[in-house]
Amino acid sequence: MKVSFLVLISFLLLIHTPAFGQRVSLSVREATLEHVLDEISSQTNSLFLYKDNLIKNIKVLSFQVKNAQLTHVLDKLCQQYGLDYRIIAGTITIFNKETPLDGTSSNQKKVLTAHGKVVSDPGNIPMVGVTVKNADRSLSTMTDSAGHFTITGIHGDKISFQHIGYVTYILVLGIDNMDEVLLNNSVQTLSEVVVTGYGDLNREEYSGSVTVMTSEDIADRPISSFEHVFGGKVPGLVVSSSGQPGDIAEVRLRGFGSMSSSNQPLYVIDGIIFDQDNTSGHSNAVSSPMAMINPADIANITVLKDAASASLYGSQGANGVIVITTKQGIPSNRMRFGLSAQSGVSNIFSAVKPEFVTAEQYKELWTEGQMHRLIQAQGGDFKQNLDNLYHNKLGYFLDGLNYYQWHKLAQQDFNNYYALQKPDGTYYDYDFWGDDADKLPNTDWFDEITRTAKFQQYNLSMTGGSTNLKY
């Protein structure tokens, strides 16, 4: 029995010990805590147990360790998110942290001094002038020429490492290893570029009234002509067109400046002023040269709206200027292909759809108008006769007929006017005000000539170039 007990103890120790000695390397940003635990599990072959609702909504903005002990990694994670853990036989259980009775443990009250070195990643080059700050104690210092630093604080204080051009890194004093801190380069998004007649400027540096649209803004909209991309994107700009394919769109950027001359803005494409004259050669079949520009080939559009912006182009820019820059190839030893596809459906917006009368409503309106025409033909004061007939439909007579008799005459005229023809050329004797009312057609011709339109659009591009040529 003693032998069996010793063997069992040895077996448990073999299982339990590796969990404390294993090391982990991680570098994650904007990930879920569940993803971080999965990554630790794959590196250590450990099994994690936790309730889904405990960590489901926890987001890890930034977490980085390099060759750190598993227990140190778990201490750091749990400290940040108010959790605790327990390791039993290679299984790690995550649970809510129990609050101490006095609110603070003796370890948390100790004053600690951290010594370390800050290096850049990649390269492991010592970084000079990195700001090391204890935000909890309003203490800060900077790294020396060799990248070394020294800072003090209380167990659990957050120590931040900041440097221009690098991602800010935060470690916990007394929990995280600060012997060597790696800072990663920070990738900054370039500001929008304003293209003017004199060159390119950052959007923040330009004081005029301008709107910049990038290729991403255009790619999100299923359009056939680039003018329609302005809708809802450029304040004060109005676009209207007949809807005919290839027709010249009316673009109003600065209102109506002339009653006779064109009020269209000036278009400048890759530095060249573009003429918008009709290229079809026929006044009844207008064709716009702007329709030849594929929206997928546009890199950005700069809309210059105020007088100062337009003055760059003289009197031609009096109605505003729209500067278009097309996509350019990148010098490379290989050709690059791009493919985009769009598909969908298009409907006429219900708010602009005309509302037509029904057959019954039309019949009533036509008959009422015909009765008024018959009464007017009798001569005399038409308005007075009409008022008398409507106010006394039974007792007032005009030319021997009261209101209902005049209305009956108008109904008969309707039956005669809209009589349906037989194949032999004669007409049916229908009474559309009686038993034959259902024989009147009740067709919504707007629905008949329109439909839900399906569309598909594909763009295939090839780009490349060399030092002497771009395509």
Side-chain angles (χ1 to χ4, degrees), residues 5-35:
F5 181 73
L6 290 174
V7 171
L8 178 61
I9 292 297
S10 300
F11 178 71
L12 291 175
L13 287 174
L14 287 174
I15 296 176
H16 182 66
T17 303
F20 293 94
Q22 290 182 340
R23 294 187 172 272
V24 177
S25 295
L26 283 175
S27 180
V28 296
R29 294 179 186 172
E30 297 184 356
T32 62
L33 181 55
E34 185 176 13
H35 172 75

Side-chain angles (χ1 to χ4, degrees), residues 79-98:
Q79 176 74 20
Q80 289 184 1
Y81 302 106
L83 302 173
D84 206 344
Y85 70 93
R86 183 175 298 159
I87 303 177
I88 300 177
T91 299
I92 304 172
T93 304
I94 305 294
F95 50 89
N96 277 323
K97 187 174 183 180
E98 296 180 359

